[in-house]
Amino acid sequence: MNPGDFSILVVEDNSLIRKMIVHILRKYGFQVDDASDGQFALQKIKKNKPDLVILDIVMPVVDGLEVLSEVRKTQSQVELPIILVTAMQDSTDIVKGFQLGANDYLPKNFNQEELFARVNTALQIKSYHKLLKVRNNTIERELDIARLIQKKLLPASPPTLPGYEINSLYVPMDKVGGDYYDFFQMKEYTDIYMADVSGHGVPGAFLASVIKMVTQYTAQLGYDPTEILRVMDQAVSERGALGMFATAMIVRLYPESGEFQYSNAGHLPILIHRRSTNEFLEFTTSGAALGINYDFKKRDFLLGKSQLMHGDRMIIFTDGIIETFSESDIAFETNRWKEFLIEEKDTETKELLPKLLNELKSFSNRETFEDDLSIVVIDRY
């Protein structure tokens, strides 16, 4: 730390003590200004913006505690460190000073080494916080860029299929998240991918991008859902960090007939809401999570088949939806999930998903969530 980079304001009504402090600090190389009373000090703080203030408590007109209180209305202890100086032995004013936001305390019978040590410590802390703020701002900018990149990984719009309405919702827990969904439309069928990477933030987003690349590659080769999961499994194992894994569900929908195939890698089942009877059906196949299966299980993924009837609503989602908790620690899945779906069974999907998001916020009494949220809803007319 270079003392010449820092400016200090000394506020002391006793001219002898003020001159002594100024002399000592200048000897150590600091830029030093002074003020003889609190009113003058406030003017100089506002105009010159010093890096640190050494402040006498007992002064006429405006005392040190009044100055401290006024400064703390706009500047924190990190932004402007203030060291109190007093000759009084009574600790009442000192305690009051710390309560108002003083950084340190120095008796008037100090020696110059003690003065330098306290000033140096306060300025080092200020410098560390400033550096931390710069680094945090850099990280925030990089996360903003990562968020924009991840947004481009997700489909700009759902596919348009005659006789169907498809919509989706993605809400990352942080600026970037570990959930991923996508669509791939062929002449005879449309694939729907849903994946949930362990962890959040940049590592989760990176692994989600790996899965995105796999889906693009395998889709062009015409692989069936089990083969796509097999390639995903290997990619997650080889590209993910130690211990990372992902769950995934792939659905292949044949729009003309309503038939669909599906294969699961440790993900939540597909939920079908048969709205004509308010019956809920779940479809899944056994299969370990991506990465875990490749490393330990080495089992083939299985293929299931079923039929989406006219009037059915298919819901593919990640666990952030149903594992949103209320303030009384009740999961959304327990007493609200299917109730909500029944209440909104006639709501179009483009309106359903914003309503679901508001319902989750109301249920949890929070504006943010503890996990990423992803959901794809498919209605067949």
Side-chain angles (χ1 to χ4, degrees), residues 319-332:
D319 57 10
I321 303 284
I322 59 175
E323 292 180 2
T324 294
F325 286 87
S326 68
E327 291 182 322
S328 54
D329 206 32
I330 298 174
F332 188 69

Side-chain angles (χ1 to χ4, degrees), residues 239-251:
R239 301 289 184 265
L242 183 64
M244 292 191 72
F245 64 90
T247 66
M249 173 69 79
I250 299 177
V251 176

Side-chain angles (χ1 to χ4, degrees), residues 18 21 42 63 85 133 147 194 221-222 267 284 296 304 361:
R18 186 173 70 250
I21 296 175
L42 287 172
D63 68 23
V85 180
K133 185 177 181 180
R147 178 180 56 81
M194 179 71 71
L221 298 177
H267 200 76
T284 190
F296 303 106
K361 289 179 179 180

Side-chain angles (χ1 to χ4, degrees), residues 212-340:
K212 166 74 173 182
M213 288 187 286
V214 171
T215 60
Q216 289 181 320
Y217 167 74
T218 54
Q220 294 171 4
L221 298 177
Y223 284 10
D224 74 20
T226 63
E227 293 172 317
I228 296 172
L229 286 181
R230 176 181 59 79
V231 181
M232 281 184 179
D233 189 25
Q234 181 175 353
V236 170
S237 174
E238 294 178 349
R239 301 289 184 265
L242 183 64
M244 292 191 72
F245 64 90
T247 66
M249 173 69 79
I250 299 177
V251 176
R252 177 160 292 176
L253 175 64
Y254 294 85
E256 190 171 331
S257 65
E259 178 187 343
F260 64 92
Q261 300 174 350
Y262 55 94
S263 190
N264 190 8
H267 200 76
L268 295 171
I270 302 162
L271 184 63
I272 302 292
H273 182 193
R274 188 141 290 161
R275 292 179 290 174
S276 59
T277 60
N278 276 329
E279 180 182 6
F280 289 94
L281 308 172
E282 293 185 346
F283 296 89
T284 190
T285 57
S286 61
L290 304 174
I292 293 177
N293 184 71
Y294 187 82
D295 291 339
F296 303 106
K297 304 290 185 179
K298 300 191 183 299
R299 295 176 182 169
D300 293 335
F301 294 102
L302 304 178
L303 188 68
K305 297 181 180 181
S306 191
Q307 183 79 25
L308 193 65
M309 309 297 291
H310 291 283
D312 283 354
R313 170 169 283 170
M314 176 186 286
I315 306 167
I316 310 165
F317 55 99
T318 57
D319 57 10
I321 303 284
I322 59 175
E323 292 180 2
T324 294
F325 286 87
S326 68
E327 291 182 322
S328 54
D329 206 32
I330 298 174
F332 188 69
E333 179 184 30
T334 303
N335 65 349
R336 191 67 188 113
W337 174 223
K338 291 180 180 178
E339 182 181 276
F340 169 81

Side-chain angles (χ1 to χ4, degrees), residues 5-11 25 30-35 40-55 67 71-72 75-82 123 126 130:
D5 295 335
F6 297 94
S7 62
I8 300 174
L9 176 64
V10 177
V11 186
L25 293 174
F30 294 104
Q31 303 174 48
V32 188
D33 194 6
D34 65 281
F40 195 25
L42 287 172
Q43 294 173 2
K44 287 201 169 187
I45 290 171
K46 184 176 181 180
K47 180 181 178 181
N48 301 332
K49 297 179 173 50
D51 295 303
L52 181 143
V53 175
I54 296 176
L55 180 64
V67 172
V71 169
R72 287 294 175 252
Q75 292 179 280
S76 69
Q77 290 173 292
V78 172
E79 293 169 321
L80 180 58
I82 295 179
L123 289 174
K126 177 187 172 92
K130 186 176 181 180

